[in-house]
Amino acid sequence: MEGVGSDEPGQRPVQVNRSELSGSAELVQARDVYGGVHFHGEVDSQERPQQLPGDVRGFVNRVEELRTLNRLLTEGDQSVDVSLSVITGTAGVGKTSIALRWAHSVRNKFPDGQLYANLRGYDPGEPAQPDQILDRFLRALGVPSSAVPADLDGRAALYRSRLAGRRVLVVLDNAASARQVRPLLPGTDHCLVVVTSRNMLSGLTTRDGGRRLTLRILAEDDAVTLLRDVTAPYRSGDAPAELTELARLCARLPLALRIAAERAASRPFMPLGELIQDLRDESALWDALTAEEDEESDAVRAVFAWSYRALSPAAARLFRLLGLHPGPDLSAPAAAALTGVTLAQVRQPLGALVSAHLLEQTAPGRYQLHDLLRAYAVDQVRHLESAEERQAALRRGLDWYLHTADAALASTLPFNRTVPLGPPSDVRPLTFATNAEADAWFDVERDNLVSATRVAAGAGLPRTAWQLAALLRSVFMHQNAFESWFATARIGLAAARTLADRRGEAEALESLGKAHFQARQLTEAAEHHQAALVIRREIGDEYGIAVSINALGLLDLRHRHLGEALSHFRASLAIFERLGNRRWQALLLSNLAETRYELGELTEAAALLEQALAVQREIDDRAQEGNSLFFQSMMLRELGRTDEALAAIESAIAIAEGVSQVWLGHWLVEHARVLRSSGRSAEALEAVHRAATIQRRLGDRSREAIALDGAGEAYRELGQADEAIAFHLRAAAVHRQLGDVWQLALTLHHLATALTAAGRAQEAGQHWREAQALLTGFDDTRAAALREGITASL
């Protein structure tokens, strides 16, 4: 199957992504089993996020405000006095600084973790949406991407459920409105939410019970102290009156004060009076250019302009071009690409911006702009760079993301690169020495990659948009990252259609087909794959035609239309044989073998797999080799060649270890079956426990249920029928909810067998009869054999 672990039966639907399961509420503990094997009520442990950014340097006073915040907490019990605090004040007054300073001081009061989000309510770009933030929060709380509900209400409900009974501190920075915040409120008095905003957000105080803290500009003494604390190590002899005047020109706002202090500190031998005169001149110029009556805002922007004009040409150009960056933060190589210089050449300007307090370094090699500074950078780039220069810079930045994503994919999934790219435009994409490096890059750049796809489509670069979306398909399908996958695929489809690029349109339709298939939305998957096939036939894309036909075969296999699946796989194989594509030939042989296995034709299936494995080993296609070994183990096990089956599945698991949790979780269930065939049921229980743990983390409820069903079989063989029944009941409830008729029939058969072992024959008969009824929809040999076995049992 193309994309091991993604095009196989059993993935969970995005529309039913929930953490709660029907059926037995608890996983029972294994008793009387040696080896310390245990299943507990939750297969995974909830994460304890630690998301607070670093504490603020140069913080002064605010003693009364900190005391006010401290009064939010109660002493000696497990609740908070007020569960919502809203810190308001003008731009640059230090709302984020005080929120983070206080949050760090009380983090030990919230042992279950701290969540942080910049809502970007005043950013020149798009503000963060509540559903986006909930997606991040839920993943930080241990919910796998595929288990995150698709809709806002579902996410908010799951978020509240995850936080129920836990003590978590949530900091929501730069909120624009109460509507943006409200879905992010936990709904429990054990948690505390701190919101910062320039607006009053009256709805949060009147309707949601929040307590407002209005932050004023610093007192004159505190403003002077901040200036002195920053400049003292570098300057001496500055007169108190001059420091007071500098504080006044900065409107006593911490952001402006820090920028001014950094500039003074960087010029230790320049009299402070000269710096003050420069700032006075800048302020007068700014006053003349603006019609605003907000003196504080004018003062801040005057300080920005004053500091910006003091930058070197390279640093000033970098600063304004940062206003074009598509995402919330960026790396040094991304900054180099944006400006069209080398990494070595961009380091000094980046350092200059950080030193001038115009750019914040959030982690080694990563940077972000304060929203006010980003707005100023956008303003500067629009005024000082021509439309052609802006477009060229944006193209460089997006090209860097596109080609670096391609390089990362070449490292992690080389056979999944199906989009030929032209040479990059004057950028140096990253290279990756290991798969781990490439995976880490995808993880940290995920939001930027989605933003880059969206920005490319809106900036007149539709080819970049659809190509980036097509590359990201291979990444998101191995992470079950449905939201990002659907979003980028739809952008890519619209972009390709804008260009009338039929090949790109087919790629986007294929991506949407795979996304729907993996999300168990099979009707939509079929529609998209059929549409892609129509286009590929129109343009004569034989490779694409064969890929689409294979996808339709996988849909047949999922529906258990085995004859149709054989026809599709044979047709696809014939095309790839004509094209001489050995990788796809081997993949189709493996798909044919799986279909033969489901038809009960084990000898034929085993022979096909031998052919597939020979090619996969020759071309070093490790992913598909592991998948073929998984199928080979199934054949050999049913042929009674248990030792060979064990060797095959252990080889597959060795491929998956450290590479793909998706593969590992799926293949461990077969490992358990082989162990049970060898009479090693207790070891099998360990394998399915690990499989269930992985599947819970991935959010694949179907495969988790298959693992739980396997646990039930192991318990029954160990003579513990009651435990077996509990596991089978839980697995059956999930298969019933997902509408998986075949797996439900199998599980009901196992449940009835366990009930018989427990002496509950009447109940067993009910489940066998339901299984019989379900199996009438299948006409293949394996289904017929199962029906006959159930009839005999009845």
Side-chain angles (χ1 to χ4, degrees):
M1 297 180 181
E2 186 195 4
V4 175
S6 59
D7 287 340
E8 300 164 315
Q11 292 288 27
R12 31 187 325 232
V14 70
Q15 70 268 32
V16 295
N17 285 345
R18 299 289 188 274
S19 286
E20 51 276 353
L21 291 176
S22 302
S24 174
E26 291 293 323
L27 290 172
V28 292
Q29 181 173 332
R31 297 188 298 272
D32 307 319
V33 178
Y34 65 87
V37 184
H38 299 283
F39 277 76
H40 295 284
E42 285 296 332
V43 181
D44 63 338
S45 61
Q46 292 190 344
E47 299 293 330
R48 291 176 174 79
Q50 308 288 327
Q51 293 189 335
L52 289 181
D55 201 354
V56 181
R57 64 188 179 93
F59 190 89
V60 297
N61 206 307
R62 299 294 195 191
V63 174
E64 285 305 315
E65 291 89 344
L66 291 171
R67 284 176 181 161
T68 299
L69 290 170
N70 283 333
R71 286 195 287 272
L72 299 172
L73 302 176
T74 56
E75 297 295 333
D77 63 17
Q78 295 299 304
S79 64
V80 293
D81 186 45
V82 176
S83 59
L84 172 62
S85 176
V86 183
I87 302 175
T88 65
T90 191
V93 78
K95 300 180 294 295
T96 299
S97 296
I98 193 170
L100 293 180
R101 168 55 60 97
W102 183 76
H104 277 281
S105 72
V106 299
R107 61 191 305 171
N108 62 316
K109 305 280 188 182
F110 298 90
D112 295 315
Q114 305 90 43
L115 294 167
Y116 171 86
N118 183 353
L119 302 186
R120 303 198 304 275
Y122 308 96
D123 195 272
E126 290 291 320
Q129 298 301 312
D131 58 342
Q132 297 171 331
I133 301 302
L134 285 169
D135 175 59
R136 296 174 197 164
F137 280 0
L138 287 169
R139 285 188 279 120
L141 290 166
V143 178
S145 296
S146 58
V148 175
D151 60 297
L152 175 61
D153 290 342
R155 291 181 182 188
L158 180 56
Y159 171 68
R160 291 191 296 270
S161 296
R162 277 275 164 161
L163 292 183
R166 304 181 73 194
R167 288 180 61 82
V168 174
L169 177 62
V170 183
V171 179
L172 304 174
D173 205 7
N174 294 313
S177 66
R179 180 175 297 179
Q180 193 184 23
V181 170
R182 199 163 278 127
L184 308 176
L185 300 179
T188 170
D189 63 358
H190 294 290
C191 297
L192 173 61
V193 180
V194 177
V195 180
T196 72
S197 179
R198 297 181 201 172
N199 298 334
M200 297 296 283
L201 302 186
S202 299
L204 293 182
T205 55
T206 58
R207 174 178 163 184
D208 299 288
R211 181 178 295 171
R212 183 185 297 116
L213 170 63
T214 300
L215 209 59
R216 309 296 180 186
I217 62 174
L218 288 175
E220 184 177 284
D221 289 347
D222 291 337
V224 170
T225 298
L226 191 156
L227 290 172
R228 187 179 289 112
D229 286 350
V230 175
T231 59
Y234 308 96
R235 304 177 58 90
S236 60
D238 290 335
E242 290 181 325
L243 290 171
T244 301
E245 174 64 7
L246 183 56
R248 185 192 66 77
L249 289 169
C250 294
R252 305 204 305 271
L253 291 169
L255 176 62
L257 288 164
R258 289 192 181 93
I259 293 173
E262 293 289 354
R263 184 171 177 191
S266 68
R267 291 161 176 76
F269 302 111
M270 179 178 286
L272 191 58
E274 291 185 22
L275 290 170
I276 290 172
Q277 187 57 49
D278 285 347
L279 182 52
R280 283 199 193 102
D281 293 343
E282 190 69 56
S283 298
L285 176 62
W286 187 257
D287 289 342
L289 292 175
T290 65
E292 297 181 19
E293 297 180 358
D294 185 346
E295 294 181 5
E296 293 167 350
S297 176
D298 285 353
V300 169
R301 291 177 69 85
V303 171
F304 290 173
W306 175 65
S307 186
Y308 169 75
R309 294 183 199 282
L311 295 172
S312 69
R317 179 170 178 266
L318 171 60
F319 175 79
R320 60 181 178 264
L321 290 180
L322 290 179
L324 300 174
H325 184 261
D329 70 343
L330 82 165
S331 64
L338 201 62
T339 51
V341 301
T342 66
L343 182 59
Q345 290 171 322
V346 85
R347 292 195 188 281
Q348 192 280 330
L350 279 172
L353 293 179
V354 172
S355 295
H357 220 75
L358 295 175
L359 184 67
E360 181 184 2
Q361 184 165 1
T362 57
R366 296 203 71 82
Y367 306 87
Q368 71 177 15
L369 286 169
H370 187 283
D371 56 357
L372 284 177
L373 287 162
R374 183 174 174 85
Y376 185 72
V378 169
D379 184 64
Q380 293 304 301
V381 79
R382 286 174 178 167
H383 284 89
L384 299 178
E385 303 284 345
S386 68
E388 293 77 12
E389 289 169 330
R390 294 197 302 271
Q391 187 74 353
L394 185 59
R395 183 186 294 275
R396 285 193 303 269
L398 295 173
D399 260 14
W400 182 85
Y401 278 111
L402 175 68
H403 286 273
T404 301
D406 185 56
L409 199 62
S411 176
T412 57
L413 298 164
F415 289 104
N416 289 54
R417 297 166 72 212
T418 59
V419 181
L421 303 179
S425 59
D426 302 323
V427 295
R428 296 170 177 83
L430 297 180
T431 58
F432 301 92
T434 65
N435 288 355
E437 286 182 10
D439 286 337
W441 184 82
F442 276 127
D443 286 343
V444 77
E445 297 288 358
R446 176 170 162 174
D447 289 345
N448 283 333
L449 288 165
V450 175
S451 294
T453 307
R454 184 176 291 109
V455 167
L461 299 169
R463 184 171 304 281
T464 300
W466 81 251
Q467 289 179 335
L468 190 51
L471 287 174
L472 292 175
R473 170 186 68 201
S474 298
V475 180
F476 296 147
M477 70 191 291
H478 282 268
Q479 300 172 345
N480 284 359
F482 289 120
E483 180 169 10
S484 298
W485 188 358
F486 277 112
T488 52
R490 287 167 181 149
I491 292 169
L493 179 60
R497 286 174 171 168
T498 298
L499 284 170
D501 187 326
R502 298 289 274 167
R503 188 177 298 272
E505 184 179 357
E507 284 284 346
L509 286 166
E510 180 189 327
S511 183
L512 284 167
K514 288 179 181 294
H516 284 295
F517 180 92
Q518 192 156 323
R520 287 184 58 89
Q521 299 168 347
L522 302 188
T523 301
E524 295 89 340
E527 291 171 357
H528 285 94
H529 282 307
Q530 289 282 10
L533 180 58
V534 168
I535 292 173
R536 285 165 167 170
R537 282 178 169 153
E538 287 177 1
I539 64 177
D541 178 8
E542 282 202 280
Y543 177 95
I545 290 168
V547 170
S548 292
I549 291 173
N550 174 69
L552 295 174
L554 294 173
L555 278 161
D556 288 329
L557 196 56
R558 174 68 67 86
H559 287 298
R560 206 169 179 80
H561 300 157
L562 302 180
E564 293 91 331
L566 280 177
S567 296
H568 277 120
F569 292 145
R570 285 169 179 157
S572 182
L573 176 61
I575 297 173
F576 282 121
E577 286 176 339
R578 188 164 62 251
L579 294 174
N581 189 311
R582 299 183 70 212
R583 189 257 176 172
W584 268 95
Q585 290 175 48
L587 187 152
L588 265 301
L589 289 171
S590 183
N591 286 353
L592 283 166
E594 183 187 6
T595 312
R596 291 291 186 191
Y597 167 83
E598 293 296 342
L599 287 164
E601 301 170 2
L602 303 183
T603 303
E604 296 87 341
L608 288 166
L609 284 172
E610 287 292 347
Q611 296 177 55
L613 282 164
V615 175
Q616 287 158 353
R617 286 165 177 158
E618 184 180 340
I619 65 175
D620 196 29
D621 188 354
R622 295 282 283 167
Q624 291 300 334
E625 179 189 351
N627 206 40
S628 294
L629 286 166
F630 163 66
F631 291 136
Q632 187 181 55
S633 174
M634 295 163 60
M635 319 298 167
L636 294 169
R637 172 174 51 81
E638 290 204 17
L639 288 168
R641 296 157 61 181
T642 308
D643 290 344
E644 295 172 75
L646 185 61
I649 194 60
E650 287 181 346
S651 295
I653 288 171
I655 290 173
E657 290 279 10
V659 176
S660 172
Q661 291 288 293
V662 172
W663 307 342
L664 182 60
H666 190 45
W667 298 345
L668 278 167
V669 174
E670 171 59 19
H671 189 213
R673 293 184 183 123
V674 177
L675 290 170
R676 287 175 41 236
S677 296
S678 304
R680 298 155 63 180
S681 297
E683 293 174 65
L685 200 57
E686 293 183 26
V688 289
H689 173 244
R690 189 180 179 199
T693 301
I694 291 170
Q695 299 299 358
R696 172 65 65 88
R697 188 165 60 248
L698 291 171
D700 192 330
R701 291 182 60 201
S702 176
R703 288 183 177 173
E704 182 188 356
I706 292 171
L708 297 178
D709 187 50
E713 293 186 273
Y715 274 125
R716 178 177 52 79
E717 292 179 357
L718 289 163
Q720 299 181 51
D722 289 341
E723 283 84 350
I725 291 166
F727 279 94
H728 291 315
L729 282 170
R730 188 164 186 177
V734 176
H735 292 315
R736 194 184 304 280
Q737 185 181 23
L738 298 181
D740 193 329
V741 176
W742 176 252
Q743 288 297 335
L744 177 58
L746 290 176
T747 301
L748 290 173
H749 170 53
H750 299 152
L751 172 60
T753 304
L755 285 164
T756 301
R760 296 158 63 179
Q762 184 174 357
E763 295 174 67
Q766 295 172 1
H767 293 297
W768 265 323
R769 281 186 286 275
E770 183 184 358
Q772 265 191 329
L774 293 171
L775 290 168
T776 58
F778 303 101
D779 58 4
D780 57 88
T781 305
R782 187 175 292 275
L786 182 55
R787 282 197 302 271
E788 290 174 9
I790 291 174
T791 300
S793 299
L794 282 168

